[in-house]
Amino acid sequence: MRRLLGAALIAGSLTVLGVSPAHAATAPAAPTLSDLSTSVAGHVTGTITGDVDAQSAWVCFAHCHVNTGQVYGGWLALDSTTHSTTFDLPTWGYGDGTVTAVVCPNAAATGCTVNDTSTSPPAESTTLTPTDITPSVTFSPADGVVHDGDQLTATVSDPGGGWLEAIWSADDNMSGPFVTQLAHDGIATADPVTITIGKGAGHVAVVRCNEHFQYDPCQPFDSLSYQLQDTEAPDVTSMTVSSPFVRPEATDSTNSVFLHAAGPNASSNDWWEVLDGQGHVVRSILDGWAVFQTDWNAYFDGRDDNGLMLPSGLYTIQLRDPAGNVSATTVKVRVQRLVSKTFVKAVTAKASKTNQYVGRCSKLASPSSHGWAGSLGYFANTRCRSTTGPDSTVATEHGVALPAAATYRDVRISAYGGAAKGFGRSVAVMFYEDPSRNRQVAQAKLGPKVGTWAGPAKAVSTMAKTINGTRYVFWSVGTAARQHYDVKGFTVTVHYQVWV
């Protein structure tokens, strides 16, 4: 720190770096969404507020497009004074989703047309997780063993809404899937429903679907997947997965799971299949391997047969032999996306200080000559006249912890300060440190006028150091050669990305 600072300052190699102002984009006014809540099962509620020209609004939740009719109801009237209205949308059968809304200068119930240019840009909420009600479903026979022509009876108790369905298919892929609507308390009585099982083994999943679009989306209930077997079940005594979930977009070890089954008749002719919540085979894993006729092994990366990422949800992993016998377990696919964020941290010079160097001829004071709370004063040559680097230099090192992130982009550090009182021409230097904290990554001159002095934006990878699992960036400030300089504090700005 001392050697780099002294060399940079005394050699006069400082460069003032400018900062380009951000340019704000202009666009028609979008509405504001507020008071969003999914606390009531099967509903998302909230408030839409438009500008003074807005008279009506259209709102929808998940898997819909504003102005295409793929929403519930028509245009909603906005209050003429507040230009706002509340809404209550059903969420039965939906997984995570967002609320989307537009406003229109025309009054309800006509609103704006699909291609009306006076419609505002859409406003979209953050991702919301609807609240659901787990139904109580009892199957008979309870052991899941059926034969040709046997029937499966499902008795349901469920006060939820939407459509509750049993989706089943034979595992030979020659019949199904077939859908049977289950009577439930939300729309009918809880009378038993009989499902006729096709020849051989099959699979039944209970799902809740949206009542307007009965088959898309449909959310499975983890505990209600039901595996049906014939009397010649495969000789598998256990099935395990290395992790309960897989992230197909990830670049670390979570981008695949190891599948293992144990039993007495492992064969290279057996293969693994992946079924979605509707019982459809979405992946055949043909590169699994058998070990010593007692173990089956394979990997699943959360993708279909074409290498495309499967949607988030619960999937059944089953092992099939040439006779059609199967054993199964489940794994969740979690598809996430990278979202860009900005971290801004303001710290005082004193609170962020991690180290200091004060030459024998100089002084470090707190507060500075300006008296700012938490400030530091760098006063060179107050004790003697020698201006050699070691004697004259006064410098401090500073550090800030970074937020956890999937990736980091850049970091910029700004200092607020100026020449000490009575020393109106004094300057100082700020430089960024590499992870070893022994080498300069970038530097900036801190001029005599009191104000904000911005350093350059640099890649976080050139600066970040990990300490006890937390990432930090470090920088130093100081002066020498009879300069007197005050620093009030710093602002650290980091652009980074996180998985959501």
Side-chain angles (χ1 to χ4, degrees):
M1 176 179 71
R2 174 176 57 82
R3 178 177 59 81
L4 292 173
L5 178 65
L9 185 65
I10 295 171
S13 58
L14 303 178
T15 302
V16 179
L17 303 179
V19 182
S20 299
H23 296 280
T26 60
T32 300
L33 294 169
S34 60
D35 302 325
L36 297 175
S37 175
T38 58
S39 60
V40 177
H43 294 266
V44 57
T45 58
T47 300
I48 307 170
T49 303
D51 60 20
V52 294
D53 296 323
Q55 297 190 55
S56 58
W58 196 306
V59 62
C60 63
F61 176 75
H63 299 284
C64 56
H65 303 281
V66 175
N67 279 347
T68 64
Q70 303 299 307
V71 294
Y72 305 105
W75 288 89
L76 305 174
L78 298 180
D79 184 273
S80 60
T81 302
T82 63
H83 303 280
S84 66
T85 186
T86 59
F87 62 88
D88 185 341
L89 300 177
T91 60
W92 301 112
Y94 284 110
D96 291 353
T98 58
V99 172
T100 305
V102 297
V103 290
C104 174
N106 301 337
T110 58
C112 291
T113 62
V114 173
N115 298 314
D116 196 329
T117 58
S118 61
T119 303
S120 75
E124 184 174 7
S125 72
T126 58
T127 300
L128 303 173
T129 300
T131 306
D132 210 326
I133 296 174
T134 301
S136 173
V137 179
T138 302
F139 288 102
S140 179
D143 62 2
V145 177
V146 295
H147 310 288
D148 292 352
D150 277 359
Q151 293 180 331
L152 172 69
T153 299
T155 303
V156 181
S157 176
D158 173 40
W163 291 62
L164 201 66
E165 298 174 345
I167 301 178
W168 64 274
S169 61
D171 289 339
D172 58 10
N173 294 321
M174 298 302 292
S175 57
F178 299 98
V179 177
T180 301
Q181 184 179 354
L182 300 178
H184 63 120
D185 299 348
I187 57 172
T189 60
D191 296 329
V193 174
T194 299
I195 305 170
T196 301
I197 301 303
K199 182 178 180 179
H203 181 81
V204 175
V206 174
V207 300
R208 189 191 301 283
C209 303
N210 182 275
E211 61 186 2
H212 290 266
F213 313 104
Q214 300 170 22
Y215 305 114
D216 183 23
C218 293
Q219 298 301 314
F221 293 95
D222 298 3
S223 61
L224 300 180
S225 293
Y226 197 80
Q227 181 65 43
L228 304 176
Q229 301 176 345
D230 63 15
T231 55
E232 297 179 358
D235 294 326
V236 174
T237 57
S238 68
M239 296 187 70
T240 59
V241 293
S242 60
S243 171
F245 70 92
V246 58
R247 289 173 41 207
E249 83 293 338
T251 57
D252 57 20
S253 60
T254 63
N255 64 1
S256 66
V257 293
F258 176 68
L259 312 174
H260 175 258
N265 295 313
S267 168
S268 59
N269 294 322
D270 305 323
W271 70 95
W272 301 81
E273 292 177 326
V274 181
L275 286 71
D276 62 15
Q278 287 72 48
H280 304 143
V281 176
V282 294
R283 173 76 178 275
S284 294
I285 304 175
L286 304 178
D287 55 355
W289 67 98
V291 182
F292 302 121
Q293 295 186 331
T294 59
D295 296 272
W296 296 264
N297 301 302
Y299 284 96
F300 172 52
D301 58 4
R303 298 175 180 267
D304 63 16
D305 285 329
N306 296 316
L308 301 177
M309 291 188 296
L310 292 167
S312 296
L314 184 73
Y315 290 82
T316 297
I317 311 293
Q318 68 182 24
L319 181 66
R320 172 189 291 275
D321 66 19
N325 300 312
V326 296
S327 291
T329 187
T330 58
V331 68
K332 286 184 178 180
V333 172
R334 295 181 185 174
V335 177
Q336 297 179 292
R337 60 190 176 93
L338 281 173
V339 173
S340 296
K341 290 193 172 187
T342 300
F343 168 83
V344 179
K345 180 74 171 181
V347 293
T348 66
K350 185 176 180 180
S352 61
K353 181 170 71 74
T354 59
N355 200 357
Q356 69 182 48
Y357 176 83
V358 181
R360 69 181 184 88
C361 291
S362 300
K363 178 182 177 181
L364 179 67
S366 181
S368 64
S369 67
H370 283 85
W372 301 316
S375 62
L376 295 176
Y378 303 78
F379 305 148
N381 295 106
T382 59
R383 302 179 187 278
C384 58
R385 304 174 67 85
S386 172
T387 56
T388 62
D391 292 342
S392 179
T393 298
V394 52
T396 55
E397 180 189 69
H398 303 264
V400 162
L402 302 182
T407 60
Y408 296 95
R409 282 177 44 203
D410 56 61
V411 57
R412 182 190 298 274
I413 301 168
S414 299
Y416 184 89
K421 291 183 177 180
F423 294 84
R425 296 183 178 181
S426 289
V427 297
V429 62
M430 174 175 67
F431 64 83
Y432 303 169
E433 299 179 5
D434 76 343
S436 70
R437 296 157 73 176
N438 289 318
R439 188 173 63 84
Q440 179 184 146
V441 173
Q443 67 178 25
K445 177 182 178 180
L446 308 185
K449 184 179 179 180
V450 173
T452 299
W453 302 91
K458 299 296 291 185
V460 173
S461 60
T462 65
M463 295 178 59
K465 180 179 179 63
T466 301
I467 302 175
N468 296 327
T470 301
R471 305 278 277 181
Y472 290 83
V473 291
F474 295 93
W475 67 98
S476 292
V477 169
T479 193
R482 300 187 179 92
Q483 307 291 301
H484 286 206
Y485 201 85
D486 293 348
V487 175
K488 180 179 181 181
F490 305 94
T491 299
V492 180
T493 303
V494 179
H495 296 103
Y496 64 106
Q497 292 181 308
V498 296
W499 289 112
V500 297

